[in-house]
Amino acid sequence: MEKYETHELDVLVVGAGGAGLRAAIEAAKEGVKVGVVCKSLLGKAHTVMAEGGIAAALGNTDPQDNWKEHFRDTMYGGKFLNDWRFALKHAQLAPECVKELEEWGALFDRTKDGRILQRAFGGHSWRRLAHVGDRTGLEMIRTLQDKLLSFDNVEIFQECTVIHLFKDGERISGALAYWRETGRFVVFKSKALVLATGGLGKIYRITSNSWEYTGSGYALALLAGAELRDMEFTQFHPTGMVWPPSVQGILVTEAVRGEGGRLYNSKGERFMQKYDPERLELSTRDLVARAIYTEIKEGRGTEHGGVYLDVSHLPPEHVKKKLPGMYKQFLEFAGIDITKQPMEVAPTMHYCMGGVRVDPETQMSRVPGLFAVGEVASGLHGANRLGGNSLSDLLVFGKLGGKGASEYAKSLSRQPLVDKDEVEKVVREALEFFERKNGVSPYEIHEKLKETMQNYVGIFREEKDLKKALEIIDELSNIPVSVSGNVHFNPGWHLALDLKFMLLCAKAIILSAIERKNSAGAHARLDYPNPPEEKYNHIVWLEDGEMRIRREQTPKVPDELEPILKEPPSRKWEKT
C-alpha cells in the first residue's frame, strides 16, 4: 500500500455539489476528520446549473403556505410513489435549511420589507421558491463553499475521481481514486463514505447535465452491495436550448415560466391550454415535457425542432432583472434578445428521480457506513420531481446525511481495513485498457450508448423499444475497450473507466422501465398508458454479478397525514 498515496479519514464525501458540501459541513461541525473528493475544481459543481430557486414553505410571498401544502404538492407531483417519510422531512426542514443558508451569507432577492422573495414554479400551489435572480445554484455553491472552508478539520481533493469502494467484511472501509491530471492512484481509508455524485445524464445524447454526470455513484453503490430504487423515472426537463446545435440541451430554467413565460407552437397557439388548462405553463415537468414533445412530433414544432418560449410580453427591465442568466445565455449563444424574440426550446434529459435506497433518518444504505445524498439518492421525488425541490433536497438530506455519517464514524472503535490485494487488483483492471491492442474506442461505445438511450428509452416508451435497448446495452457491455497514450490527463482513459458505470445505470433504467407496465410521472408507456392500480417501487441490486429486480409496495401514508392529501394542488396564489 505504501506505493500509493494514502489518506485516513473519518468521513469521506464523494462529490462537491450542494449535497456534498452540505454533508461535509454537517460532518465537520461534529468534529470528525472530513475529506471531500470532487471530479472538477471546487465551486464548479453542476449545482450551479440549478437556476430557478429553492423550494421551501417560508410563507414570505404567500403567508398561507406551510409545510403541509409543500408535502401535499410533492406527493401529488410524485404520483404518490414517493416514500412519504422523505417528503415529510423535506417539507418540514426546508425552511430552516434556507434560513441557515441565509445566515451563512447567501444573498437572496428580497421583498419590499426585506424578507426572502419567493417565486412561482410548476406544480407548486404557492409562490415558494427562494431565489437569486436565475443564479440560485451558483449562490448556494458559493455560500456552502465559503462555510466549508471555515473548518480546519476538512481536506479537499480536487480533480480526483473515485472508481472503487472498499469494504471490511460488510462495512465500508474506503475508496480508490485517481488524480485526473497525473493518473496516479490514491487510497482513501474512511470509516464512513457519503456519495453525493449527482446524476447520470451523460448516458443520453441530449442532456442538460455536465460532463461529470456519468452515474458513477449509482454504480459504485450497486457494486458495493447497495440497492437502487425507482430507476425508470428519468426526468426530461421541458425546456432545453435547441439552436445552435453546439448548445443543444443546455438548460432553460423553469424560472422563465415562473416569471410568466408562455409556450407557443409554430401556429402561434398557446398549446398548454389543451394539456392543463388551469396550470398552463406551470404544470408539472412531466406533463409539460410530454406536451412539447407531442406538439413537435405532430408537426407543430419550430424550424429547428422545438417550440417557442416567449417572455417578450413582459417589461424588458423585469426580464433583465429576474432572468439575467437567460438573457445573457441566449444573446451570447444564439444571438437572440429574449426581451424581443422568443426562445426555441425542447425537452432535455435532466434528472434521475431514482437512486440509492437509503434510510430516511440517516441516509445510510443497506451497506453499513455507505451513505447517499442529493440526486444519487432516492425516496423524495417518486415518479416526478417538482422544480425547486432538488435544491432543498440537497440542503435537507445533505445535512441529515452528514450528521448520520459522522455519528456512524464516531460509533466505530477502529478504522476499517482496506485489503492491499484488492487495491492491486482494481489498479490492474484500471490499467488493462492500455494493454489491449485491438479493443474498441471508448468514444465509439459512448456514442452508441447515448443514441440507444435517446432513441429507445426517452419520453415515450414501448416494450419492443426497451427490449431492443436492453439487447444493445448487453452487447456494448461485452465489447473490449482499449485506449492509447498514458495515464497523464487522458480523457479517453477517463471515459473508459466511466463506461462501466454508465452501462450499469442504463441497464438499471431499462430493466425497471420494462417491468413497469403502466404510466406514471416521467415514465410514459405508449403500450400501457394507464396509471398503476397499486402503488409500488422497483428495487434493483446485483447478485452474483447479475442485475436483479423486484417490486415492493410504496410505504403507506399514515392515517394522520391523509387529510392533508385530500385536495389536489392548484395555483392558489391567483385565487387569494
Side-chain angles (χ1 to χ4, degrees), residues 96-106 108 110 143 147:
E96 68 182 61
C97 286
V98 171
K99 290 173 184 173
E100 201 169 44
L101 203 63
E102 181 184 31
E103 289 169 8
W104 294 344
F108 290 98
R110 299 284 169 178
T143 304
K147 180 66 177 178

Side-chain angles (χ1 to χ4, degrees), residues 381-438:
H381 306 297
N384 179 60
R385 176 175 69 80
L386 298 185
N389 271 3
S390 59
L391 287 187
S392 39
D393 173 2
L394 305 180
L395 294 174
V396 170
F397 297 108
K399 180 177 183 177
L400 292 176
K403 187 173 179 60
S406 60
E407 289 179 348
Y408 173 85
K410 286 179 178 179
S411 75
L412 299 187
S413 58
R414 65 170 178 85
Q415 189 87 25
L417 301 176
V418 171
D419 187 297
K420 293 181 181 180
D421 292 338
E422 187 177 355
V423 174
E424 292 287 349
K425 177 176 177 289
V426 178
V427 168
R428 279 198 308 272
E429 289 173 353
L431 296 174
E432 280 178 1
F433 298 109
F434 294 103
E435 296 167 13
R436 292 194 196 108
K437 300 305 175 190
N438 299 313

Side-chain angles (χ1 to χ4, degrees), residues 28-302:
K29 284 164 65 177
E30 296 295 316
V32 298
K33 188 176 181 183
V34 180
V36 178
V37 175
C38 54
K39 274 185 179 179
S40 189
L41 295 169
L42 193 65
K44 303 275 282 183
H46 192 57
T47 304
V48 302
M49 294 302 293
E51 300 150 321
I54 310 168
L58 297 164
N60 290 346
T61 303
D62 293 315
Q64 303 94 324
D65 196 15
N66 55 58
W67 72 261
K68 294 178 181 178
E69 299 271 322
H70 194 181
F71 171 67
R72 185 198 62 235
D73 290 350
T74 299
M75 292 299 292
Y76 269 93
K79 310 304 178 190
F80 290 87
L81 298 178
N82 335 49
D83 185 325
W84 66 268
R85 297 168 297 179
F86 287 84
L88 182 67
K89 277 196 171 298
H90 172 253
Q92 290 178 332
L93 298 178
E96 68 182 61
C97 286
V98 171
K99 290 173 184 173
E100 201 169 44
L101 203 63
E102 181 184 31
E103 289 169 8
W104 294 344
L107 301 171
F108 290 98
D109 287 2
R110 299 284 169 178
T111 61
K112 289 181 180 178
D113 59 359
R115 292 173 298 160
I116 295 173
L117 184 64
Q118 297 179 271
R119 64 160 49 117
F121 240 56
H124 292 281
S125 293
W126 300 100
R127 289 171 289 189
R128 186 175 287 146
L129 269 75
H131 60 280
V132 187
D134 59 0
R135 296 190 290 250
T136 311
L138 179 63
E139 184 66 7
M140 174 187 277
I141 288 294
R142 182 196 67 79
T143 304
L144 292 175
Q145 180 179 299
D146 286 354
K147 180 66 177 178
L148 182 66
L149 295 176
S150 70
F151 293 94
D152 57 10
N153 55 330
V154 176
E155 193 169 356
I156 311 291
F157 303 90
Q158 302 181 77
E159 296 188 297
C160 187
T161 298
V162 170
I163 58 171
H164 184 79
L165 303 184
F166 297 113
K167 289 163 70 175
D168 180 357
E170 291 303 308
R171 65 178 69 242
I172 275 299
S173 62
L176 179 71
Y178 68 92
W179 296 107
R180 299 184 72 86
E181 183 180 1
T182 64
R184 293 186 61 190
F185 293 97
V186 52
V187 174
F188 293 100
K189 298 179 179 179
S190 179
K191 294 178 180 176
L193 190 145
V194 182
L195 292 171
T197 50
L200 45 70
K202 297 311 286 184
I203 68 173
Y204 281 84
R205 182 169 58 84
I206 300 174
T207 179
S208 65
N209 291 182
S210 66
W211 63 271
E212 297 101 330
Y213 272 34
T214 57
S216 60
Y218 306 89
L220 288 167
L222 258 187
L223 292 164
E227 296 174 328
L228 303 183
R229 168 175 52 185
D230 290 339
M231 292 302 287
E232 65 266 43
F233 299 125
T234 50
Q235 182 175 81
F236 289 80
H237 194 289
T239 54
M241 292 183 73
V242 298
W243 193 260
S246 60
V247 297
Q248 189 178 56
I250 289 181
L251 187 66
V252 178
T253 173
E254 193 170 329
V256 175
R257 286 177 285 133
E259 292 296 333
R262 298 170 182 170
L263 288 166
Y264 296 96
N265 60 26
S266 59
K267 294 185 175 182
E269 298 165 335
R270 193 176 176 189
F271 58 84
M272 282 309 299
Q273 293 172 342
K274 289 189 293 186
Y275 301 94
D276 191 341
E278 182 183 0
R279 294 182 293 183
L280 298 169
E281 287 83 8
L282 291 180
S283 184
T284 54
R285 287 180 173 179
D286 58 328
L287 201 154
V288 179
R290 286 199 297 274
I292 293 173
Y293 183 84
T294 301
E295 291 296 307
I296 297 166
K297 290 292 280 186
E298 293 182 357
R300 296 183 293 277
T302 65

Side-chain angles (χ1 to χ4, degrees), residues 308-533:
Y308 294 117
L309 176 58
D310 192 22
V311 291
S312 63
H313 58 283
L314 300 173
E317 291 311 310
H318 177 84
V319 172
K320 292 176 184 178
K321 179 182 178 183
K322 288 296 184 179
L323 304 167
M326 289 298 99
Y327 177 76
K328 185 177 181 181
Q329 180 174 309
F330 273 88
L331 205 58
E332 290 188 357
F333 291 156
I336 287 173
D337 181 347
I338 66 172
T339 66
K340 300 173 183 175
Q341 303 162 270
M343 300 161 257
E344 280 187 81
V345 297
T348 178
M349 197 285 160
H350 182 60
Y351 193 90
C352 185
M353 272 72 73
V356 183
R357 191 182 192 198
V358 294
D359 177 79
E361 298 291 332
T362 64
Q363 313 310 300
M364 187 160 73
S365 71
R366 71 172 182 174
V367 178
L370 179 61
F371 299 75
V373 294
E375 187 173 352
V376 75
S378 70
L380 172 60
H381 306 297
N384 179 60
R385 176 175 69 80
L386 298 185
N389 271 3
S390 59
L391 287 187
S392 39
D393 173 2
L394 305 180
L395 294 174
V396 170
F397 297 108
K399 180 177 183 177
L400 292 176
K403 187 173 179 60
S406 60
E407 289 179 348
Y408 173 85
K410 286 179 178 179
S411 75
L412 299 187
S413 58
R414 65 170 178 85
Q415 189 87 25
L417 301 176
V418 171
D419 187 297
K420 293 181 181 180
D421 292 338
E422 187 177 355
V423 174
E424 292 287 349
K425 177 176 177 289
V426 178
V427 168
R428 279 198 308 272
E429 289 173 353
L431 296 174
E432 280 178 1
F433 298 109
F434 294 103
E435 296 167 13
R436 292 194 196 108
K437 300 305 175 190
N438 299 313
V440 174
S441 163
Y443 294 101
E444 186 177 331
I445 302 292
H446 190 211
E447 285 304 313
K448 288 180 180 176
L449 167 62
K450 291 188 292 182
E451 286 300 319
T452 300
M453 296 302 290
Q454 193 73 35
N455 295 338
Y456 300 123
V457 199
I459 291 178
F460 287 106
R461 299 165 176 178
E462 288 189 84
E463 185 119 350
K464 59 180 176 61
D465 290 339
L466 293 169
K467 287 186 173 178
K468 176 68 175 173
L470 186 60
E471 187 181 311
I472 296 171
I473 295 304
D474 283 341
E475 288 174 4
L476 294 177
S477 301
N478 291 313
I479 295 174
V481 174
S482 63
V483 295
S484 58
N486 56 47
V487 296
H488 295 283
F489 198 81
N490 187 329
W493 181 48
H494 302 168
L495 179 58
L497 291 167
D498 280 333
L499 276 176
K500 178 173 76 170
F501 303 145
M502 290 193 275
L503 289 164
L504 271 173
C505 289
K507 186 163 186 173
I509 291 168
I510 296 165
L511 271 182
S512 301
I514 290 172
E515 288 298 312
R516 183 166 289 283
K517 292 175 169 54
N518 50 63
S519 294
H523 173 76
R525 288 284 296 262
L526 291 174
D527 46 355
Y528 294 99
N530 294 326
E533 294 179 3

